[in-house]
Amino acid sequence: MPDGQWMLKGREFANCNCAYGCPCQFNALPTYGHCHGLAVLEIEEGYHGDTRLDGLRGGGIYCFPGPIHEGKGEGVLIIDTRASPQQRKTLLRIFSGEDTEPAATIWAVFAAMVEKMHEPVFADIDFTIDIAGRRARAAVAGLAEMRGEPILNPVTGLEHRVCIEQPNGFEFTVAEIGRGWSKTRGPVAIELADSYGQFANIHLCQSGVVR
């Protein structure tokens, strides 16, 4: 059982190199055989034991040479500079899959598949997201920029809406799907353009998605 009780409820934008309908969400192989992606999260309500985490932001950047389940990945975690030393410690534990049942959250899964985790980055994180509108912008000072937009119908030019629902997933219950652009620097440098974008409310604890 986990050593600590925790809960995070918030909003997330994620972008990876797969096509709009990321095959990984359906237990298929990634579009191009490898996985490069990143995500930013704003915590609306959260705690780890007695430590409150409300209002903080965080994220992670990951690269896997093949499908995620084959491992050999590298990553870097991002923590809001506004976090106190204790908040930084607890967020790093959660994002590293600690104090969590095995494979219960996306962070626990990624942590198990990463071969090289770089030193965490503590940075200012600007983040805005409209989940229903499928739009987001994020900037991690000195490290990353992201933006998300709706998919457009190639014939009419109108916004196209599609969702992914995962009753038994380890990240979200329902996600709005769009497209994204991202560029990162530092130890895990990637560049994504017009690829899979995910806009979701998340509610996770040490046992997985709270339903």
Side-chain angles (χ1 to χ4, degrees), residues 13-15 20 134-136 147-152 176-181 193-199:
F13 173 57
N15 182 204
Y20 296 159
R134 301 177 303 287
R135 295 184 184 277
R147 84 175 194 270
E149 299 178 2
I151 297 167
L152 299 180
E176 295 279 351
I177 305 304
R179 53 191 183 142
W181 289 257
D194 197 11
S195 56
Y196 176 83
Q198 170 187 303
F199 310 76

Side-chain angles (χ1 to χ4, degrees), residues 12-31 35 38-39 67-69 106 110 163-178 196-200 202:
E12 173 198 66
F13 173 57
N15 182 204
C16 79
N17 65 295
C18 279
Y20 296 159
C22 176
C24 308
Q25 300 291 349
F26 302 89
N27 280 330
L29 298 178
T31 304
C35 182
L38 65 161
I68 294 170
H69 67 272
I106 186 168
F110 275 37
C163 300
I164 293 177
E165 181 175 359
Q166 291 200 7
N168 301 307
F170 50 62
E171 182 178 8
F172 58 80
T173 302
V174 178
E176 295 279 351
I177 305 304
Y196 176 83
Q198 170 187 303
F199 310 76
I202 67 166

Side-chain angles (χ1 to χ4, degrees), residues 10-201:
R11 302 178 300 161
E12 173 198 66
F13 173 57
N15 182 204
C16 79
N17 65 295
C18 279
Y20 296 159
C22 176
C24 308
Q25 300 291 349
F26 302 89
N27 280 330
L29 298 178
T31 304
Y32 304 105
H34 61 277
C35 182
H36 295 172
L38 65 161
V40 169
L41 161 73
E42 182 170 67
I43 302 166
E44 296 172 335
E45 180 184 356
Y47 62 84
H48 182 289
D50 295 329
T51 303
R52 297 299 309 184
L53 302 168
D54 306 7
L56 296 175
R57 295 168 178 162
I61 307 169
Y62 297 91
C63 279
F64 294 89
I68 294 170
H69 67 272
E70 292 184 358
K72 301 179 182 178
E74 63 176 319
V76 58
L77 297 175
I78 306 163
I79 303 294
D80 199 329
T81 51
R82 298 174 300 160
S84 70
Q86 181 60 29
Q87 289 172 324
R88 293 183 182 196
K89 178 181 177 181
T90 56
L91 283 173
L92 284 173
R93 290 188 67 83
I94 293 171
F95 293 164
S96 299
E98 299 182 52
D99 300 334
T100 302
E101 294 175 12
T105 68
I106 186 168
W107 301 310
V109 171
F110 275 37
M113 295 296 103
V114 165
E115 190 173 82
K116 183 176 183 179
M117 184 61 79
H118 297 274
E119 288 297 311
V121 172
F122 302 97
D124 293 329
I125 305 171
D126 291 325
F127 183 45
T128 60
I129 184 169
D130 175 0
I131 294 174
R134 301 177 303 287
R135 295 184 184 277
R137 283 192 176 273
V140 180
L143 188 70
E145 295 85 34
M146 305 174 69
R147 84 175 194 270
E149 299 178 2
I151 297 167
L152 299 180
N153 184 299
V155 177
T156 66
L158 297 176
E159 294 182 3
H160 176 71
R161 185 186 178 206
V162 64
C163 300
I164 293 177
E165 181 175 359
Q166 291 200 7
N168 301 307
F170 50 62
E171 182 178 8
F172 58 80
T173 302
V174 178
E176 295 279 351
I177 305 304
R179 53 191 183 142
W181 289 257
S182 298
K183 184 175 182 178
T184 72
R185 296 167 290 281
V188 184
I190 62 177
E191 188 164 359
L192 309 174
D194 197 11
S195 56
Y196 176 83
Q198 170 187 303
F199 310 76
N201 289 300

